[in-house]
Amino acid sequence: MSVGIVSYGSYIPRYRIKVEDIARVWGEDAETLKAGLMVSEKSVPDLDEDAATIAVESARAAIENGNIDPVRIGAVYTGSESHPYAVKPTSTIVAEAISATPVMTAADFEFACKAGSATVQSCMGLTSSGMIDLGMGIGADVSQGAPGDALEYTAASGGVAFIMGDNESEPIALIEDTYSFTTDTPDFWRREGSEFPQHGGRFTGEPGYFKHVIGASKGLMEKMGTGPEDYDYAVFHQPNGKFPTRVSKELGFSRDKIEPGMVITKLGNIYSGSCMMGIAATLDQAKPGDRIFATAFGSGAGADAFSIKVTDKMEQFQKYSPKVWDQLKDPVYVDYAKYAKHKGKLKRS
């Protein structure tokens, strides 16, 4: 398979809120929460930022980082749980902003936290079939969590765009294979018109995250005849720090292999972009020939696993592209009141 990642770009808001500031409002013990979640702070959108603006910034970064002619992009797909419009695509906004219109196709994807990885698989299919030259898959979210809910400590904001192509001379990383594992498991949901999602709390981990991530991961390795020892890095969806740490251990990946992509500790969970951001952070430091194993998870529930191999084009790409961990430096911290204002949790009658 010659289809792969030709370029990628990410965007993370500068604003952050610390776990201590959220815990103080709700009378919770911050140290216990930080130890349990393995998260110390999370990103907060600016007052004028939503999933569309974040997707646009990520897309522009991917175009610039790879010096891509946007006219070549024949598809733009945006995966998100927080599309700003119920009826009006985010992806057309992105396509217009990067000057990819009008000869192209666009659509919005939804599948909880793996909507982003679904866009990547779709772009893989379109490019490898020859229907389009390049395809852009985006995972972007301004994640929701009700005030006082456990999700509030991790639900964050950010986005990642991958440009996929099938020209053998272009990819900085090849997608060797992919494998999906999907069932109807209602571990997390938000009905139309509801402002915040609901979930089954601590009872959702085993039937949701672990069953599907392990199912997809083992399925791909069995399909390819590979094992953890064949990969230099691993990335798993990061709803918190504990879940990917545990699942990597269960699958046989050592801690040092997941560490480069563990952005959850300083970023929080950006839902549709979570696994993609971990992949981007890992690609930032990977060397030609390195192999990355990655599995995205989305409640509802499903998981997409990928085997990625870095090409010799990566070294040149890394010289000019901003690094994910660098974007997490120099944050602007806000207190809970400003956080609530930025997130639109304060309503005027």
Side-chain angles (χ1 to χ4, degrees):
M1 184 180 290
S2 61
V3 64
I5 302 167
V6 174
S7 181
Y8 63 91
S10 58
Y11 175 76
I12 300 170
R14 283 196 67 191
Y15 290 100
R16 306 281 192 282
I17 186 169
K18 295 181 179 180
V19 167
E20 288 91 337
D21 290 310
I22 302 174
R24 187 179 301 115
V25 172
W26 302 110
E28 301 284 350
D29 183 73
E31 294 307 314
T32 299
L33 287 164
K34 288 195 294 183
L37 296 171
M38 298 173 66
V39 176
S40 60
E41 59 192 65
K42 69 170 189 173
S43 62
V44 177
D46 205 344
L47 290 167
D48 59 351
E49 289 183 321
D50 59 19
T53 64
I54 288 173
V56 167
E57 291 300 323
S58 303
R60 285 174 170 166
I63 293 286
E64 182 177 353
N65 293 344
N67 193 27
I68 304 296
D69 181 356
V71 174
R72 295 181 60 198
I73 297 176
V76 174
Y77 295 139
T78 306
S80 181
E81 288 189 39
S82 51
H83 291 289
Y85 294 96
V87 181
K88 163 69 175 84
T90 300
S91 295
T92 55
I93 299 172
V94 176
E96 197 73 54
I98 63 173
S99 300
T101 58
V103 186
M104 46 83 68
T105 184
D108 288 356
F109 283 38
E110 293 183 7
F111 196 138
C113 295
K114 83 166 192 72
S117 63
T119 70
V120 171
Q121 288 180 323
S122 296
C123 288
M124 288 174 61
L126 288 174
T127 55
S128 63
S129 71
M131 288 182 64
I132 62 173
D133 184 6
L134 299 176
M136 177 178 283
I138 304 169
D141 258 305
V142 177
S143 309
Q144 314 99 2
D149 189 273
L151 293 175
E152 193 171 33
Y153 293 97
T154 56
S157 304
V160 190
F162 285 179
I163 298 177
M164 310 299 296
D166 192 42
N167 186 324
E168 290 186 8
S169 66
E170 288 189 290
I172 56 176
L174 295 173
I175 308 295
E176 296 180 300
D177 212 337
T178 184
Y179 186 100
S180 295
F181 185 98
T182 310
T183 72
D184 181 19
T185 303
D187 54 331
F188 178 95
W189 66 95
R190 179 169 64 86
R191 284 191 175 274
E192 182 69 28
S194 298
E195 188 170 1
F196 301 111
Q198 295 177 277
H199 54 88
R202 66 182 184 277
F203 302 107
T204 66
E206 296 299 335
Y209 183 95
F210 292 102
K211 175 181 177 180
H212 293 79
V213 171
I214 290 173
S217 299
K218 287 185 174 180
L220 180 56
M221 285 189 280
E222 289 173 4
K223 178 182 179 184
M224 296 183 63
T226 59
E229 66 280 0
D230 296 306
Y231 296 93
D232 302 280
Y233 301 99
V235 181
F236 301 98
H237 172 55
Q238 302 168 28
N240 50 53
K242 181 176 289 186
F243 278 22
T245 300
R246 175 184 151 185
V247 83
S248 63
K249 185 176 181 180
E250 290 187 12
L251 288 167
F253 292 93
S254 58
R255 174 75 189 192
D256 63 301
K257 291 186 178 183
I258 67 168
E259 198 64 42
M262 283 286 284
V263 293
I264 179 72
T265 57
K266 295 291 185 180
L267 173 62
N269 180 10
I270 59 169
Y271 285 23
S272 298
S274 172
C275 188
M276 293 173 69
M277 189 70 79
I279 294 171
T282 303
L283 287 171
D284 284 344
Q285 57 183 275
K287 303 301 180 187
D290 284 350
R291 297 176 81 186
I292 303 167
F293 190 89
T295 304
F297 169 75
S299 292
D304 300 327
F306 299 86
S307 180
I308 304 167
K309 187 171 184 178
V310 179
T311 74
D312 57 8
K313 302 291 182 183
M314 179 60 77
E315 289 183 323
Q316 185 70 14
F317 181 87
Q318 290 172 337
K319 290 180 181 179
Y320 304 104
S321 62
K323 306 298 186 287
V324 171
W325 281 105
D326 287 342
Q327 292 181 59
L328 288 166
K329 296 177 180 178
D330 302 318
V332 176
Y333 290 106
V334 298
D335 59 18
Y336 192 88
K338 288 186 177 179
Y339 157 74
K341 182 179 180 181
H342 278 231
K343 290 285 287 180
K345 295 189 179 188
L346 298 177
K347 306 294 184 183
R348 293 182 179 181
S349 60

